[in-house]
Amino acid sequence: IATRVEEHVVATGLMICGAIFWAYTIGAGCAVLSNLDPDGTEMNNRLDALNRMASEQKLPMEFRYRLRAYLRESRFHEAFVRYRELSGMFSPQLRRELAAQVSGKWINKVWYLRSKDHAFTAQVAEGTHLELFERREDCVHLRSRLLIVQRGLLSQNGCVVVTGCLLGEDMIVCDSRVQKLSPILSLTFAEVGSLTRGALFSILAEYPPESKQVRRAA
C-alpha cells in the first residue's frame, strides 16, 4: 500500500499507463474483428443509409422490405463484380487462363462458342453483363440475349430455368421472327449474365475461326 506522496504518484502513473494500454488493446481487437468481414460491415452501412433515406422520404413499409431484401441479396452480386475487377489486375495470359477456368464451363455449353483459344473465351466472359433481379421481376430487355443463370430461378414459357442453365442461344439469328422471344420472369432473386448479339459479333471480328463457326450456326 502506497504511503508516501512519491509512491502515490508512481502508482497513479502506472494505473494511467495500464488504462491506456488496455484501451488500445480493446480498440485494436475491435478493429481486427470488424475487418474479419468487411463485406458485412459495408452491407450494414448500406442498410443504415437505406433506413435513413426511407425514413426521410416516408416510403411505404412494404416497399422498404423489398429494398432491404434486394440489398441483402446484392451482397452476392457485388462479390461477382469484385471478382471481375480483380481479374483485371492480372497479366493477359493469366486473365485468359482464369476466364477459361471460371467462365469456360458455361461458355462451352453453347456449342458454337466452344474454342480452344483462351483469349476468345476471356473476351466472351468480359463481354457478359451481370444483373440482379428481384422476385417476380419482368426481365423484358433480356429476351434477345444469350443468358446464363448464375443464381436463382427464371421462368419462360411456363418452364422453370434453374441455376447453370442457358437461354437465348438463338440470339445469333438475324431474323427475330424465328427467335424465341417469350417473356422472361424471375421467380426468385436471380443473378443473370447476358451477352448481346452486338457484343458477341464485335468480339468475333478479331477471331476468324470462331466467327466462321458462329456464322455457320446462324
Side-chain angles (χ1 to χ4, degrees):
I1 300 175
T3 57
R4 297 187 301 172
V5 175
E6 294 82 358
E7 294 174 343
H8 282 289
V9 172
V10 172
T12 302
L14 291 174
M15 285 189 289
I16 293 174
C17 292
I20 293 174
F21 177 75
W22 181 245
Y24 174 79
T25 303
I26 294 176
C30 291
V32 170
L33 291 176
S34 64
N35 289 328
L36 290 177
D37 186 15
D39 295 340
T41 302
E42 183 179 357
M43 177 58 60
N44 290 332
N45 292 335
R46 290 183 179 180
L47 288 172
D48 290 340
L50 173 62
N51 290 335
R52 288 194 298 270
M53 181 193 74
S55 178
E56 293 175 0
Q57 300 298 324
K58 296 180 174 56
L59 299 179
M61 193 59 65
E62 182 179 352
F63 189 49
R64 297 186 191 189
Y65 293 150
R66 290 172 58 192
L67 293 174
R68 293 191 191 102
Y70 186 90
L71 270 187
R72 293 190 184 96
E73 290 293 327
S74 69
R75 182 174 181 176
F76 302 97
H77 175 73
E78 293 295 332
F80 278 115
V81 174
R82 282 195 299 273
Y83 296 156
R84 174 170 289 186
E85 293 175 352
L86 181 62
S87 66
M89 300 174 61
F90 300 117
S91 67
Q93 177 64 29
L94 288 175
R95 285 202 305 271
R96 289 193 291 268
E97 293 183 12
L98 180 61
Q101 292 291 331
V102 176
S103 303
K105 295 179 181 179
W106 76 261
I107 292 175
N108 288 331
K109 289 183 179 180
V110 186
W111 68 268
Y112 55 76
L113 293 182
R114 292 173 189 164
S115 173
K116 296 181 180 180
D117 191 342
H118 288 174
F120 173 72
T121 303
Q123 289 278 355
V124 173
E126 292 174 359
T128 304
H129 180 60
L130 292 174
E131 294 180 272
L132 175 65
F133 299 92
E134 74 160 334
R135 301 185 188 94
R136 297 181 295 278
E137 183 170 349
D138 186 6
C139 312
V140 61
H141 66 287
L142 298 182
R143 286 186 292 179
S144 59
R145 301 183 185 184
L146 176 63
L147 308 179
I148 169 67
V149 183
Q150 300 277 11
R151 186 170 59 92
L153 300 175
L154 298 180
S155 173
Q156 186 180 40
N157 282 336
C159 298
V160 177
V161 184
V162 300
T163 300
C165 290
L166 297 166
L167 287 174
E169 294 96 329
D170 57 358
M171 63 89 156
I172 59 174
V173 180
C174 297
D175 191 351
S176 60
R177 292 175 298 179
V178 299
Q179 293 181 359
K180 297 179 181 178
L181 300 178
S182 303
I184 299 173
L185 182 72
S186 61
L187 300 178
T188 64
F189 283 98
E191 184 91 29
V192 181
S194 64
L195 179 68
T196 65
R197 188 175 188 276
L200 175 60
F201 278 88
S202 295
I203 297 170
L204 291 171
E206 303 177 13
Y207 300 92
E210 287 75 12
S211 177
K212 183 178 179 181
Q213 179 172 287
V214 171
R215 293 185 184 280
R216 187 185 303 119

